[in-house]
Amino acid sequence: MSIATTRGPAKQSPERGVRPGRRPRYGRYALELLMIAVAVVFLFPVYALVTLAMKDPRQISESPLSPPSPPTFANFGDAWSSASLGPALLNSTIITVASLLLLIVLGSTGAYYLARRARGLGYGLYILFLLGIVLPFQLGMIPLYKLVDDLGWLGTYQGMVFFYTGIQLPFTVFLYTGFIRALPQDYAQAALIDGCNHRQAFTRIVFPLLRPITGTVIILNAVFIWNDFFTPLLYLGGSDKETVPVGVFAFVGQYVSDYGLVFAGLVLAALPILVVFVLLQRYVIKGFAGGLKG
């Protein structure tokens, strides 16, 4: 006697090469090709800048975008000496570092108060700082120039540091406030219970936790301050405190026919801030992500 066994319908296996729940490979390849194309578009100006900086005038006139053969580094030395980039780099470094230190100290402490006092006076001050972000600083250029002139700070480091600190402080407070609101309050409260005051709780507990957003603050403010041209031209023009963009502008006007020197000067001017960005770039996404969660 044979026993008939019943079997359900056979399951059909998915098509070979396409896994359930995953996009087809051609879609992934198309996305990768698109990203490569975008990277090429963004890297092409960098390639052109470095290539032209390493060519002599004959190579530039014959084939401006082809790789240099052979490359020459004499343009960098000539640009360094002709454009007086050494003093300009020192001036830009002093102004940028001093401004960043003030922005970090004032922005982090102010944001700590605003983040922990979200009502009443704290909320009103936070809205005031947000208005400082929305309003363009060009509206106050004439009053600010008059104020700096009355203080006797034209052509000085403190005039530029005072200007950049005031202009960038609202944006800095905005970044720090969003990040601090996303942090748990248990750490600071535990420090207060153990006998710390608010200053000690902030400096010892809260501020070390602000490392990601501090890196973001440094990157964004440093790029703005280092690359700013109009303000140093207005406040430092004609003095010995001129920054890199002003020095490069005068150099370009003087050697506009020698593009090798011009592009070499541009590379030297952009190199320091590029190095800082590469070193701190991982903190930018962390800082924005932490602020968005708050």
Side-chain angles (χ1 to χ4, degrees):
M1 181 177 181
S2 62
I3 301 175
T5 58
T6 58
R7 296 181 180 179
K11 295 182 179 180
Q12 296 181 355
S13 60
E15 295 181 3
R16 182 174 297 179
V18 180
R19 296 182 181 179
R22 298 185 63 180
R23 66 177 62 183
R25 290 184 178 180
Y26 64 84
R28 184 178 61 187
Y29 292 153
L31 182 60
E32 292 178 355
L33 291 175
L34 177 62
M35 293 298 100
I36 293 174
V38 172
V40 169
V41 170
F42 279 94
L43 290 177
F44 179 76
V46 179
Y47 165 78
L49 180 65
V50 176
T51 299
L52 292 173
M54 301 175 66
K55 288 184 175 183
D56 54 38
R58 180 186 58 82
Q59 295 182 26
I60 294 176
S61 60
E62 292 178 354
S63 54
L65 295 181
S66 62
S69 57
T72 176
F73 296 94
N75 291 331
F76 294 98
D78 295 340
W80 179 271
S81 58
S82 301
S84 300
L85 288 179
L89 286 171
L90 178 61
N91 295 333
S92 291
T93 302
I94 293 174
I95 293 173
T96 303
V97 172
S99 301
L100 289 176
L101 290 177
L102 284 177
L103 286 171
I104 291 172
V105 173
L106 297 178
S108 60
T109 53
Y112 179 71
Y113 173 81
L114 296 177
R116 296 296 181 251
R117 300 290 187 272
R119 298 180 180 179
L121 179 61
Y123 180 77
L125 291 176
Y126 182 68
I127 295 300
L128 186 62
F129 277 109
L130 291 183
L131 290 177
I133 299 176
V134 175
L135 296 177
F137 75 91
Q138 289 84 356
L139 295 177
M141 287 303 299
I142 295 178
L144 286 174
Y145 183 87
K146 186 68 169 67
L147 176 61
V148 173
D149 188 18
D150 293 339
L151 293 174
W153 287 354
L154 287 179
T156 62
Y157 291 134
Q158 57 266 31
M160 295 302 303
V161 173
F162 168 80
F163 176 86
Y164 285 128
T165 303
I167 290 299
Q168 293 299 105
L169 188 59
F171 181 63
T172 303
V173 169
F174 170 74
L175 292 177
Y176 271 120
T177 303
F179 194 88
I180 293 175
R181 285 176 177 172
L183 292 176
Q185 301 186 23
D186 299 340
Y187 302 110
Q189 291 176 354
L192 295 175
I193 294 175
D194 290 339
C196 293
N197 54 35
H198 284 283
R199 180 184 60 82
Q200 293 172 335
F202 174 76
T203 56
R204 298 179 182 180
I205 305 300
V206 177
F207 187 75
L209 299 176
L210 302 180
R211 186 179 302 173
I213 194 62
T214 300
T216 304
V217 167
I218 291 175
I219 284 293
L220 298 180
N221 287 318
V223 170
F224 172 79
I225 296 172
W226 187 274
N227 293 331
D228 186 27
F229 168 73
F230 177 71
T231 306
L233 180 66
L234 184 64
Y235 286 75
L236 302 176
S239 68
D240 57 349
K241 303 294 192 301
E242 290 183 347
T243 57
V244 170
V246 180
V248 171
F249 172 74
F251 174 73
V252 169
Q254 184 178 2
Y255 295 94
V256 67
S257 59
D258 195 339
Y259 291 102
L261 289 180
V262 170
F263 284 100
L266 294 176
V267 170
L268 292 175
L271 190 59
I273 198 64
L274 181 62
V275 172
V276 174
F277 181 81
V278 171
L279 294 176
L280 299 179
Q281 63 175 338
R282 62 191 181 98
Y283 292 112
V284 176
I285 302 301
K286 291 183 179 180
F288 274 121
L292 290 174
K293 289 189 296 183

